[in-house]
Amino acid sequence: MYRVCFVCTGNICRSPMAEAVFRAHVATAGLDALVEVDSAGTGGWHEGDGADPRTIAVLESAGYEQAHRARRFRSSWFARLDLVIALDAGHQRDLRALAPTAQDAAKVRLLRSYDPAATAAETDVPDPYYGSLDGFEECLELVEAASPGLLDAVRDAVKEHTA
């Protein structure tokens, strides 16, 4: 099993959205038996909570399913994860600092690095939490734009992983 974990700050907005979208891409590609997708937050403020209602509304209106409970990312998880996807540069920095080894730190990638239209200055998925529903819709657009590239990378890694 190839394991991917999306990480944002509180695990109620960006990372559960990325988890739901990417899980749908994995299922459509027929890889759901080979790829496990989940999410977490760098902080534990919302542990046990469901996704933000605005996240749920945007996902449901776009046809994505989600059943989510927030949790905090733990350093020990690196051992079982193949890829850790940070939603912004701050998360990437925090996760790499949390990684027990250089090999684990190398598992951390930015989601937007998989979007061919994103420039070097556009590395982050902005946090929509303190804004309007528009921010959540923009978040979904950015996640969807990066998902095909991420799926290609995961598909290639799964081939190597199972070879």
Side-chain angles (χ1 to χ4, degrees), residues 36-97:
E36 180 181 294
V37 182
D38 62 16
S39 66
T42 57
W45 309 279
H46 299 286
E47 279 187 294
D49 294 346
D52 184 288
R54 296 164 294 178
T55 298
I56 295 168
V58 167
L59 285 171
E60 287 179 352
S61 70
Y64 294 105
E65 294 181 19
Q66 68 81 40
H68 177 75
R69 288 285 164 235
R71 60 200 186 127
R72 184 177 189 171
F73 190 91
R74 308 281 184 223
S75 178
S76 61
W77 296 0
F78 277 104
R80 67 173 177 81
L81 293 170
D82 297 290
L83 192 55
V84 180
I85 303 294
L87 276 290
D88 71 29
H91 305 132
Q92 182 184 41
R93 185 175 47 257
D94 292 348
L95 289 162
R96 286 186 173 163

Side-chain angles (χ1 to χ4, degrees), residues 143-155:
V143 167
E144 287 179 327
S147 291
L150 176 57
L151 182 64
D152 288 343
V154 167
R155 185 183 288 118

Side-chain angles (χ1 to χ4, degrees), residues 2 5 41 43 58 61 107 130 144:
Y2 191 86
C5 184
V58 167
S61 70
K107 295 176 182 180
Y130 294 103
E144 287 179 327

